Amino acid sequence: MDSKQQQYFDKLTSIQENLTKETVEYWKVYSDFSTWQFWFILIMLVGPLILLFFTIDRKMIFRIGFFGFSVHILFAYIESFGIRYGFWGYPYQVLPFLPSFSLDASVIPIVSMLVYQWTINHNKSFFLYSVITAIIFGFGFKPLLVSINLFQKDDWVNYFLIFLLYLILFQLAYLMTKLFLVLHKKGENNQ
């Protein structure tokens, strides 16, 4: 790395450090333990985890868990992209350095895991029920979060786009899970 590149990289690192410090300061002033929003978001994080503990089909826990982890990772990437580019944001957080943690790590993956589990156990179309889930999240849940100021979006980011993102990411997670199941079965057959 030449000196010009190093200076530019150091500048970016410094900006990132300052942004992190400002984000933590914002959290302390507007989003800490003293706000109802903090506790609401904490419940959105912990509540679904408790529900999952009692409802997950333990015979298929790795399959369902892999699907949920895939949903989590895909949504974390999309959320990170949208937040970084300023398309949307979360004014209140449980942790200042993970702005959409409750949604990405709990609500969205766990609801989708339970839908996935239900479609497997009842031999139903995952696609159909993922469309219904995406409609509920895109046209119900996100507008609710906007109405109580837990989610803010640019004007051009409409609820149909949010619905499409949910649907696409649910399908990608489903396809990733299917692929790994096929690879797992091939591996078992080769032993």
Side-chain angles (χ1 to χ4, degrees):
M1 185 179 311
D2 66 23
S3 64
K4 187 175 181 180
Q5 181 183 359
Q6 185 65 52
Q7 287 176 337
Y8 199 20
F9 182 76
D10 291 343
K11 178 182 173 186
L12 291 175
T13 301
S14 175
I15 291 169
Q16 187 63 48
E17 287 173 11
N18 288 333
L19 179 60
T20 300
K21 287 176 187 172
E22 289 296 320
T23 301
V24 170
E25 188 59 32
Y26 172 89
W27 182 85
K28 288 177 184 176
V29 173
Y30 296 106
S31 187
D32 71 350
F33 313 109
S34 66
T35 66
W36 71 265
Q37 293 93 340
F38 172 87
W39 296 104
F40 185 86
I41 294 168
L42 184 64
I43 289 168
M44 284 194 330
L45 174 65
V46 176
L49 292 169
I50 293 169
L51 175 67
L52 182 67
F53 179 79
F54 290 108
T55 59
I56 193 164
D57 184 338
R58 289 183 173 35
K59 290 177 276 180
M60 295 188 300
I61 198 164
F62 286 107
R63 177 179 179 180
I64 295 165
F66 182 85
F67 172 78
F69 185 71
S70 299
V71 169
H72 163 67
I73 293 299
L74 292 169
F75 272 91
Y77 287 149
I78 290 298
E79 289 284 24
S80 179
F81 176 82
I83 291 167
R84 183 166 284 220
Y85 279 91
F87 299 150
W88 55 75
Y90 297 87
Y92 303 95
Q93 303 109 22
V94 170
L95 301 169
F97 43 85
L98 295 171
S100 60
F101 187 62
S102 293
L103 294 177
D104 298 341
S106 188
V107 174
I108 296 166
I110 290 172
V111 168
S112 62
M113 287 167 71
L114 294 175
V115 168
Y116 179 66
Q117 174 179 292
W118 186 85
T119 61
I120 293 168
N121 288 342
H122 293 89
N123 199 25
K124 301 290 183 181
S125 165
F126 175 76
F127 179 76
L128 171 64
Y129 287 92
S130 68
V131 169
I132 293 168
T133 306
I135 288 170
I136 291 167
F137 275 127
F139 296 110
F141 187 64
K142 281 295 187 177
L144 172 65
L145 293 180
V146 168
S147 73
I148 58 176
N149 201 32
L150 295 179
F151 178 70
Q152 292 183 352
K153 61 182 187 55
D154 269 355
D155 291 337
W156 71 269
V157 177
N158 59 48
Y159 295 117
F160 183 74
L161 174 63
I162 292 170
F163 156 76
L164 283 179
L165 286 173
Y166 279 115
L167 184 59
I168 290 167
L169 294 178
F170 289 153
Q171 296 310 309
L172 285 174
Y174 180 79
L175 292 173
M176 287 171 55
T177 304
K178 281 281 202 193
L179 173 65
F180 275 80
L181 284 171
V182 167
L183 294 174
H184 178 70
K185 285 185 183 192
K186 283 186 180 182
E188 284 181 339
N189 291 339
N190 291 336
Q191 290 181 357

